[in-house]
Amino acid sequence: MSYPQKSYVEHVAVRVRDIQWHIDFFYQVLGMDVREIDGPADAPNQYWTIGGMQLMSTPGFEAPPSNDAGWLAHIGIMVEDLDAAIAEAHKWKVKQLPQGRNWLQLPDGLAIELIQASGNSVVEVLAINPRAQ
């Protein structure tokens, strides 16, 4: 290994047709609060969450088919209470995927895998400010 240090993904940017729907979903279903907004708060161009999502408003966006090698396969999201998160997500009329009840497809085609976290790991990770100097 030529780079002896460790790394991690700090955020994932996704294009969405309806940014407000996605902001509301990630906040109300998964508790991902705002970290930063680009543009007006009521119609942002981009929206970053605490928890690693960057939503990019792209009203005419059409996701390629899920079997296209260039498309993001899915995003795995650690949750404190898997059953509660799944129940809340279904209120948003998301589609359950064949991989299991914790695999969901959002309206723009984005697939998410909800994963039960152990102990206080979600709180502990979110308490870290990776951009602090």
Side-chain angles (χ1 to χ4, degrees):
M1 176 168 60
S2 59
Y3 179 70
Q5 305 303 314
K6 303 293 183 199
S7 302
Y8 72 98
V9 175
E10 190 270 332
H11 72 274
V12 174
V14 294
R15 290 181 174 83
V16 296
R17 282 188 302 251
D18 183 347
I19 195 168
Q20 193 59 54
W21 186 96
H22 287 78
I23 290 168
D24 293 343
F25 178 85
F26 281 97
Y27 178 72
Q28 293 181 26
V29 175
L30 302 172
M32 291 186 176
D33 207 350
V34 63
R35 184 185 86 202
E36 184 179 344
I37 297 174
D38 171 34
D42 60 342
N45 300 314
Q46 296 185 82
Y47 184 95
W48 291 262
T49 71
I50 297 170
M53 292 300 303
Q54 177 185 351
L55 304 171
M56 301 170 65
S57 180
T58 314
F61 178 68
E62 291 294 328
S66 60
N67 61 353
D68 184 337
W71 179 239
L72 177 68
H74 74 277
I75 298 174
I77 300 173
M78 301 300 288
V79 298
E80 292 180 305
D81 184 337
L82 180 61
D83 292 331
I86 291 170
E88 187 62 30
H90 282 295
K91 294 177 186 176
W92 291 73
K93 299 188 178 13
V94 297
K95 177 183 169 188
Q96 181 176 317
L97 295 171
Q99 294 93 321
R101 69 184 190 96
N102 60 318
W103 287 77
L104 307 171
Q105 187 172 41
L106 307 186
D108 288 356
L110 179 63
I112 61 174
E113 176 189 9
L114 302 180
I115 305 163
Q116 178 64 56
S118 62
N120 292 327
S121 61
V122 172
V123 171
E124 291 170 5
V125 168
L126 292 177
I128 299 168
N129 181 354
R131 295 175 184 228
Q133 300 277 339

